[in-house]
Amino acid sequence: MSLFKAAAALSAALAALPGAVSAGSLTFDAALAQAARNAPSLRARGLAIDTRRSAAVAAGQLPDPKLGLRIENFPVSGPPAFTFDGEPMTMTRLGVTQDVPNLAKRRAARGRAAADVAIGEAQAAVEDRRVRIATAVAWIDLAFAGQRGAAIDDVLARLTRIAAAAASGVAAGSVRPAQALDIRQAIAALEDKRSEIAAETARARAALARWTGDPAPEPEGAVPAFAIDPAALRAAVDRHPDLAATIARTGRAEADIVAARAEKRPDWSFDIGYGRRAERYGDMISAGVTASLPLFAKRRQDPMIAAAVAEKGTALAEQEDMRRALFADLEAGLADHVMHHEQWMRAERTLLPLARQRADLETASYAAGRASLTELIAAQTALAQASLDTLDRAAIVARDAARLVLTYGSDDR
């Protein structure tokens, strides 16, 4: 039997009860799709990726050339002082300079930009999974809150009818007045529970509205039946977005090492200029090449290389820690899922039928005059609690399954 067939049957039965919440407008899959379209955090991540991709286009490009205009060898003393044509070396010079970082540095810049894009994409995948899980849990919580409210309303309707009969019995003298107080206490306790469920419903609806953008979402359709395949989930850990994010950070650390090592290579600068002198001397053209000299690598470049290597070691350690944490969380989640499923089945197959049978028997006995009103109230209250416990356990199992599959696998069911 499918994991959630029994839950679907229970949901259908409760939906037919008086006071059941009518179907809404969002199926589970529609809620996930709407959250993927409307979640602001996903739009923010998408824009962040666009920003990094745009920056990557400029990475590794040559700097802009520089235009220089100056006057050279202008005399300020002696006979030719403050004259332009009194000294043959005086000229106005117009020149262009182009700085050329070494090729390794430009390649390192492109590698660093690509690593930044990869990190942005990994962070977007992490956020996408977080939104999907939060949306799924909110939808499931809202769906089961409605079912629990319907169950409470059904039992309250029964107790209200019993209360009316008890009031008539008190008037007729067949029921003690104290017994009528018992049923009022039972009704008050269930109304407290209904108030709690109303608050839970409001919280779940607010959470679902946050992710979907729908101001008043209502769940529609059955709770999804996720298939739990432990082997497949374990195999999918290596593709987990959180692990991919740590791998991307390791890639950025590797790019930083390449960039640090590139600093040990000289950079170049080329310039060409045209010098205009007085007409009697003639004009001049000049050109030159400049190279940086990384002569003090032990005190400048080598420490930065060592720091980049250490940063990569940190990233690798964090990557392994994330892998182990994901496996540990998966195994813990699988163990909890097995336990919760067994508890749910025990409640549905044993505890709830027994509570229902007891309520039926006590109702028949009360009608035949063989049971007291207090015993009837206790049986009905126990049935209400058993119904709520069964729904609570079904909700826990549904949340477990959604978290496991959406965290470690996909939404395929």
Side-chain angles (χ1 to χ4, degrees):
M1 184 177 73
S2 173
L3 181 62
F4 288 102
K5 283 184 178 177
L10 181 62
S11 302
L14 288 171
L17 295 175
V21 179
S22 61
S25 59
L26 273 182
T27 64
F28 181 83
D29 291 332
L32 294 186
Q34 193 162 316
R37 293 192 302 269
N38 296 335
S41 60
L42 293 181
R43 291 200 298 272
R45 291 297 183 186
L47 292 172
I49 293 175
D50 292 342
T51 299
R52 298 187 182 197
R53 286 174 177 164
S54 295
V57 175
Q61 300 295 321
L62 291 177
D64 291 332
K66 300 174 184 178
L67 178 66
L69 177 63
R70 61 183 179 178
I71 185 168
E72 296 183 350
N73 305 314
F74 186 73
V76 294
S77 64
F82 302 106
T83 61
F84 183 79
D85 59 354
E87 169 59 48
M89 293 304 295
T90 299
M91 69 181 78
T92 55
R93 185 178 184 277
L94 179 67
V96 177
T97 302
Q98 176 66 63
D99 294 326
V100 182
N102 67 73
L103 183 59
K105 186 180 292 185
R106 300 202 302 276
R107 288 176 176 171
R110 288 192 289 269
R112 183 59 155 75
D116 285 339
V117 172
I119 289 176
E121 292 172 344
Q123 290 173 340
V126 170
E127 182 62 19
D128 177 75
R129 184 152 297 196
R130 186 181 76 89
V131 169
R132 290 171 67 81
I133 293 171
T135 304
V137 170
W139 190 96
I140 291 170
D141 286 345
L142 185 57
F144 275 100
Q147 295 172 22
R148 295 173 73 218
I152 282 286
D153 289 342
D154 176 61
V155 177
L156 279 172
R158 295 183 189 181
L159 289 179
T160 300
R161 290 193 294 270
I162 296 173
S168 300
V170 170
S174 60
V175 176
R176 298 196 313 273
Q179 291 180 322
L181 298 179
D182 291 339
I183 193 168
R184 290 174 60 185
Q185 290 175 334
I187 291 174
L190 287 176
E191 287 177 342
D192 283 346
K193 192 67 176 178
R194 184 169 60 178
S195 296
E196 294 177 7
I197 294 172
E200 293 170 1
T201 302
R203 286 194 294 269
R205 181 172 286 109
L208 189 57
R210 173 192 175 185
W211 301 116
T212 63
D214 190 333
E218 288 291 344
E220 181 182 54
V223 175
F226 287 99
I228 303 300
D229 184 348
L233 295 178
R234 292 186 184 103
V237 168
D238 287 336
R239 301 189 299 273
H240 194 282
D242 287 348
L243 183 59
T246 63
I247 293 173
R249 286 192 288 271
T250 302
R252 182 172 62 185
E254 292 174 347
D256 288 340
I257 293 176
V258 174
R261 288 173 175 165
E263 293 291 338
K264 299 185 75 171
R265 300 187 181 184
D267 296 326
W268 299 86
S269 178
F270 300 89
D271 66 89
I272 185 171
Y274 183 86
R276 180 172 179 80
R277 299 192 298 173
E279 293 183 1
R280 56 178 171 161
Y281 298 121
D283 297 341
M284 293 183 174
I285 293 178
S286 60
V289 177
T290 304
S292 63
L293 299 176
L295 301 177
F296 307 101
K298 290 184 178 181
R299 289 179 295 185
R300 295 173 60 86
Q301 288 82 13
D302 289 348
M304 299 304 298
I305 293 173
V309 171
E311 186 65 26
K312 179 184 176 181
T314 300
L316 287 172
E318 290 175 348
Q319 179 179 323
E320 180 60 23
D321 179 69
M322 177 59 69
R323 188 190 307 274
R324 294 185 186 184
L326 289 172
F327 272 110
D329 290 345
L330 173 58
E331 295 302 327
L334 289 172
D336 286 343
H337 178 68
V338 171
M339 174 189 68
H340 293 150
H341 184 265
E342 290 175 350
Q343 290 175 338
W344 173 42
M345 289 293 97
R346 192 174 298 114
E348 184 173 272
R349 295 173 180 175
T350 304
L351 299 178
L352 182 58
L354 288 176
R356 186 177 293 114
Q357 184 179 7
R358 178 191 172 190
D360 292 341
L361 291 173
E362 292 292 0
T363 300
S365 297
Y366 178 74
R370 295 193 301 270
S372 67
L373 181 62
T374 301
E375 291 171 329
L376 176 60
I377 295 170
Q380 291 292 339
T381 303
L383 175 59
Q385 190 60 52
S387 299
L388 292 177
D389 287 345
T390 301
L391 287 171
D392 287 343
R393 295 182 184 189
I396 291 173
V397 172
R399 284 194 295 267
D400 285 348
R403 286 194 182 102
L404 285 170
V405 173
L406 295 179
T407 299
Y408 296 95
S410 68
D411 63 342
D412 297 333
R413 298 188 287 280

